[in-house]
Amino acid sequence: MAEVVEESFEAADLRGQTFEDTEFVRCRFDEAALEDAVSTAVTFTECTFDGAELTNSAHHRSAFLNCSFIRVGLRGVTWEGCKMTGSTFSECRTQPMTINGGDWSYVSLGAANLRGLDLTGVRFAEANLTGADLTGTQLRDADLRGARTGGIVLADADLRGARLEGFDPRTADLRGAHVDLEQAVAFGLTFGVVLD
């Protein structure tokens, strides 16, 4: 695998580029044009994409480890089986976006607009989802163990089968959310109901 270390691609025109079997370490892609770019089995470690445009790009089995995405255009982006551990997303344009599986543990998505996405089976363990809007989102079999979820909006979301250890339903908007029996019992106990 080729390795690129501490290179600057700031404001570069990388539209439609294909990246494969490469590791980028502490590289800067700030303000870069990455529309329609494709990455396959690429690792980005501690890279910054602040102000970049990733519209309609596709990422397959790639890893973005401890990367920064601030004010990034993510409309139409596909993340397929990607590992996003420790990355930070802030003020990004995320609609519509596709996430097919993958590991988003320790990711910061505070206040993100994730409305209506299909996040079935995605791992969000220990992620920061504080204030995120997941209205109508599919979270079946997702892993949210230990995630920070204060102020999260899960109205009309499907949580059936999701792992919710550490989740406090008292700090979330759950109006119309779909839960399974085990989750309903756990939520009821949190609110102090007595099960007879």
Side-chain angles (χ1 to χ4, degrees), residues 146-184:
R148 288 183 282 159
T149 56
I152 194 171
V153 179
L154 292 164
D156 300 315
D158 189 344
L159 294 164
R160 289 173 288 184
R163 301 198 60 181
L164 300 171
E165 291 93 323
F167 174 71
D168 187 348
R170 295 170 294 190
T171 64
D173 179 351
L174 288 163
R175 291 173 294 175
H178 300 270
V179 297
D180 58 34
L181 182 58
E182 183 178 340
Q183 292 166 338

Side-chain angles (χ1 to χ4, degrees), residues 1 23 34 38 44 52 62-63 68 81 89-90 101-102 109 134 136 139 152 185 196:
M1 176 181 285
E23 182 172 7
L34 287 154
V38 176
F44 299 89
S62 290
S68 173
F89 293 81
S90 179
L109 284 161
L134 286 90
L139 287 160
I152 194 171
V185 170
D196 292 325

Side-chain angles (χ1 to χ4, degrees), residues 46-68:
E46 297 179 9
C47 295
T48 60
F49 293 85
D50 302 343
E53 190 62 59
L54 275 72
T55 300
N56 296 325
S57 61
H59 308 279
H60 309 284
R61 304 180 312 284
S62 290
F64 295 80
L65 310 176
N66 298 307
C67 292
S68 173

